[in-house]
Amino acid sequence: MLLLVGVILSIASPVFLTSTNLLNVGLATSVVALLAIGQTYVIILAEIDLSVGAALGFSSVVTALVLRDHGLLPALAAGLGVGAAVGLVNGLLITRTRMPSFIATLAMMSILSGMTLQLADGNPIGVGDYGFQGIGQDYLAGIPVPVWLMLAGYALFGVLLARTGFGRFVYATGDNLEAARLSGIRTRRVKVLAFVISGLLAALGGFILTARLSTAEPTAGTGLELESIAAVIIGGTSLAGGRGKLLGTLVGALVLGVIDNGMNLLDVSPFLQSVVKGVVILLAVFLDRNVDALRSMVAWRRAPLPSESPAPDALPVSSPVPASRHTP
């Protein structure tokens, strides 16, 4: 899908394949892509996290307030601590009280949104620290720092998911919770850690967004939870749990970013952009839900028809019937 969209846009707009535009795509995608890492862990566990956008906004405001009074390092620590705390509370609500993750994180989203507006008095908070601004505005080897952070996040958490025991526990828990528990996996701890990872990455996304804008917006994360879920689903992670890869999630985030960028280059109405994104999400979910049926259809078409007779040398050789010694 990514290659197809890229080919179409490169034909439709000569600007699309320029290095400047491609770097802009990476820069614009970085925040959603980071949120989608944590969302991938959660969805592989057959859960969902609707609070990542609100967690991003809350950690951004906390970071800006601490940065103004105490400096860069305490501000970064405070932002990451807030993100981890939000994820911890989400995980405990889901594992200890057995709340559905949809309800628990939806309630957390509402709580964090209100707390963020109250903390900031409903107003943006300016950020004037040049060291912090560099997180979102500097370049390293000609590539924006947010893109490097995005790639580092996918490398680190991709290895954690694919090459470690914790990653295997995540897949096992998402595939069959009871079987994983009976085999000795501490499924509650696995789920709590996955939500903590999601909260930490929401805080990191908040750093990037705040540094790029030089402002902490109380409503900065609104709608990003849906974007991150869409990236995960487009990337092939199953909503039923137990299946998915971070490489697919990165491709899904890039698909959304490329579509946004291409439609802006082609001057498509913002309202139609939402329609196109919705169609892409529906297509991805349809393929995910019907992949077994589609495979069986392909296999059925390839199978020989019942009316076809087998090859002569494949016919079974019947043994001769011995003649009866007695007349009936």
Side-chain angles (χ1 to χ4, degrees):
M1 187 183 295
L2 179 61
L3 290 174
L4 178 63
V5 172
V7 169
I8 292 173
L9 291 178
S10 62
I11 295 172
S13 173
V15 181
F16 176 73
L17 285 181
T18 61
S19 59
T20 302
N21 186 64
L22 293 178
L23 288 177
N24 286 335
V25 172
L27 184 60
T29 306
S30 58
V31 174
V32 171
L34 284 170
L35 295 182
I37 294 175
Q39 199 74 256
T40 301
Y41 276 78
V42 171
I43 291 179
I44 288 176
L45 288 168
E47 306 287 355
I48 200 163
D49 189 355
L50 296 178
S51 67
V52 288
L56 181 149
F58 186 60
S59 65
S60 298
V61 169
V62 170
T63 301
L65 291 175
V66 176
L67 182 65
R68 185 177 62 188
D69 298 329
H70 301 286
L72 179 59
L73 292 180
L76 295 178
L80 291 174
V82 165
V86 170
L88 179 63
V89 172
N90 282 334
L92 292 176
L93 284 173
I94 291 161
T95 57
R96 297 297 179 179
T97 68
R98 298 187 179 182
M99 282 187 186
S101 58
F102 180 89
I103 300 300
T105 57
L106 180 64
M108 182 61 69
M109 178 179 69
S110 179
I111 292 169
L112 291 176
S113 298
M115 289 175 62
T116 304
L117 290 169
Q118 178 67 29
L119 195 60
D121 290 329
N123 299 314
I125 301 173
V127 175
D129 188 284
Y130 292 108
F132 183 80
Q133 289 175 351
I135 296 174
Q137 299 178 15
D138 282 354
Y139 285 73
L140 182 62
I143 297 175
V145 169
V147 176
W148 286 115
L149 292 174
M150 176 185 71
L151 295 176
Y154 273 88
L156 174 63
F157 289 100
V159 171
L160 181 65
L161 184 62
R163 302 293 181 184
T164 67
F166 174 71
R168 290 191 291 273
F169 294 164
V170 170
Y171 282 110
T173 303
D175 186 56
N176 191 320
L177 177 63
E178 187 63 18
R181 187 184 64 81
L182 293 175
S183 66
I185 296 174
R186 297 180 177 180
T187 55
R188 289 182 176 179
R189 181 178 296 182
V190 170
K191 287 191 175 185
V192 169
L193 287 176
F195 277 96
V196 169
I197 289 172
S198 182
L200 283 171
L201 289 165
L204 181 57
F207 293 163
I208 293 174
L209 200 56
T210 302
R212 283 182 61 193
L213 301 175
S214 297
T215 303
E217 291 281 352
T219 58
T222 303
L224 292 182
E225 63 280 344
L226 300 180
E227 294 268 348
S228 64
I229 294 170
V232 175
I233 300 306
I234 292 171
T237 299
S238 175
L239 286 168
R243 180 166 60 88
K245 292 183 179 179
L246 279 183
L247 180 59
T249 297
L250 177 59
V251 172
L254 290 174
V255 167
L256 292 176
V258 166
I259 289 174
D260 277 340
N261 177 263
M263 288 190 292
N264 287 331
L265 291 176
L266 299 176
D267 200 23
V268 177
S269 166
F271 307 112
L272 291 179
Q273 292 183 24
S274 299
V275 173
V276 172
K277 280 174 142 182
V279 170
V280 171
I281 295 169
L282 285 175
L283 177 61
V285 175
F286 171 79
L287 293 175
D288 174 66
R289 288 296 186 179
N290 296 276
V291 62
D292 293 331
L294 294 173
R295 284 175 179 169
S296 63
M297 288 175 61
V298 173
W300 179 80
R301 290 177 181 275
R302 290 179 179 175
L305 296 174
S307 59
E308 293 178 358
S309 58
D313 51 347
L315 291 173
V317 180
S318 59
S319 58
V321 180
S324 176
R325 296 183 180 181
H326 304 283
T327 56

